[in-house]
Amino acid sequence: MLKRFAAALLLAATALPGMAADLPNHPFIHVSASADQYIMPDVGEIDIDIVSLEPDADAAWKIVNDRLEASRALFAQHGIAPEDVFVQDIVRRPRKVDILPEGQPMPMETRVSMHVTVRDLGQWTPVMRALIVMKDIESLAVTYNRSDREKIESDLLQQALASAKLKAQEIARGVGARLGPATGVSIAPLKNLSNAMGLASDSNARGGGGRRVPPKADMALVQAMRLAQTADVIYRIGGK
């Protein structure tokens, strides 16, 4: 199998002039490798919308403002610094509806969005449990992250590159060739090359830590996050 794979790459690099714009101009081995790690986060972020559907503007404003102040008090109670609570302006606007009965006025909503960074995850569960039962809350979503994420991803990238080189060495050994130097590296899939070769490539160069909308019952528990790095590498094929 390895011999057929490497031979196909060698043939494509030398005998398919129509693909010249997408392929290296030398015999090559193309490998992909990835490394990932599940790790507990040390930072959490919360996105919430406070919404009132009261048709009276003054009543709606009061509801939203009361919920906003209650949320701020909750965050302060659990040691979240004011600068870690970002609040957008309160807006009043038409609310989108699928069908509006004839003769009915467009319903209005009064809304404010908040983004909160929780740096002490020991406070995460009580904060989330309080938000889950708070009235007039919409679009509750959570994100996890690591304060040392750059270092973790740098280590994972080195692991992925080392794994890619081992794969390439095995392929070269399988066809009795010598592995030459790397002539192309990407942490994203080399799409043009993969498409030209008819090869599938991992679509996730980076992963983990993204915005999540799990069931509300799970939001109060800190979840492990997956960090991943992928490397696509092109190696020159040396002589026998």
Side-chain angles (χ1 to χ4, degrees), residues 111-169:
R111 174 184 297 264
V112 62
S113 298
M114 303 180 71
H115 180 83
V116 183
T117 302
V118 182
R119 303 187 189 278
D120 177 8
L121 290 186
Q123 302 298 319
W124 182 266
T125 296
V127 167
M128 288 303 303
R129 285 178 175 168
L131 288 176
I132 287 170
V133 299
M134 188 177 289
K135 294 181 179 179
D136 305 307
I137 296 291
E138 281 190 3
S139 305
L140 180 59
V142 300
T143 304
Y144 300 112
N145 213 333
R146 287 280 301 200
S147 56
D148 56 350
R149 180 169 183 153
E150 288 188 4
K151 180 183 183 305
I152 295 172
E153 290 186 334
S154 177
D155 291 343
L156 290 173
L157 179 57
Q158 295 305 313
Q159 294 174 31
L161 289 169
S163 179
K165 186 172 184 178
L166 286 175
K167 285 184 180 181
Q169 288 172 336

Side-chain angles (χ1 to χ4, degrees), residues 10-232:
L10 178 60
L11 176 63
T14 57
L16 297 177
M19 296 181 182
D22 296 320
L23 300 177
N25 60 1
H26 57 74
F28 67 95
I29 295 172
H30 170 220
V31 291
S32 297
S34 63
D36 63 3
Q37 181 178 0
Y38 284 89
I39 192 167
M40 293 304 294
D42 62 6
V43 176
E45 297 178 70
I46 305 169
D47 289 288
I48 60 174
D49 287 350
I50 301 173
V51 181
S52 172
L53 302 182
E54 279 286 337
D56 180 75
D58 291 338
W61 182 277
K62 184 177 186 308
I63 289 173
V64 170
N65 192 64
D66 288 349
R67 296 287 182 266
L68 181 57
E69 292 307 312
S71 300
R72 281 175 164 153
L74 170 68
F75 301 140
Q77 176 187 348
H78 290 281
I80 299 173
E83 57 267 27
D84 284 330
V85 180
F86 175 76
V87 181
Q88 293 183 355
D89 292 336
I90 299 176
V91 297
R92 184 166 174 82
R93 65 191 186 190
R95 185 175 179 88
K96 295 180 180 179
V97 293
D98 293 333
I99 300 176
L100 182 64
E102 186 175 351
Q104 293 292 320
M106 178 69 71
M108 301 293 291
E109 67 175 20
T110 303
R111 174 184 297 264
V112 62
S113 298
M114 303 180 71
H115 180 83
V116 183
T117 302
V118 182
R119 303 187 189 278
D120 177 8
L121 290 186
Q123 302 298 319
W124 182 266
T125 296
V127 167
M128 288 303 303
R129 285 178 175 168
L131 288 176
I132 287 170
V133 299
M134 188 177 289
K135 294 181 179 179
D136 305 307
I137 296 291
E138 281 190 3
S139 305
L140 180 59
V142 300
T143 304
Y144 300 112
N145 213 333
R146 287 280 301 200
S147 56
D148 56 350
R149 180 169 183 153
E150 288 188 4
K151 180 183 183 305
I152 295 172
E153 290 186 334
S154 177
D155 291 343
L156 290 173
L157 179 57
Q158 295 305 313
Q159 294 174 31
L161 289 169
S163 179
K165 186 172 184 178
L166 286 175
K167 285 184 180 181
Q169 288 172 336
E170 289 297 322
I171 294 172
R173 186 178 299 115
V175 295
R178 178 177 55 83
L179 185 66
T183 60
V185 181
S186 173
I187 62 171
L190 298 173
K191 294 181 180 179
N192 290 342
L193 175 63
S194 298
N195 292 339
M197 297 301 302
L199 302 175
S201 189
D202 188 351
S203 61
N204 296 313
R206 294 173 59 141
R211 194 166 189 246
R212 299 180 61 241
V213 188
K216 284 189 175 182
D218 295 339
M219 286 185 173
L221 302 177
V222 178
Q223 307 288 323
M225 57 186 291
R226 175 180 176 268
L227 296 181
Q229 285 285 293
T230 294
D232 267 22

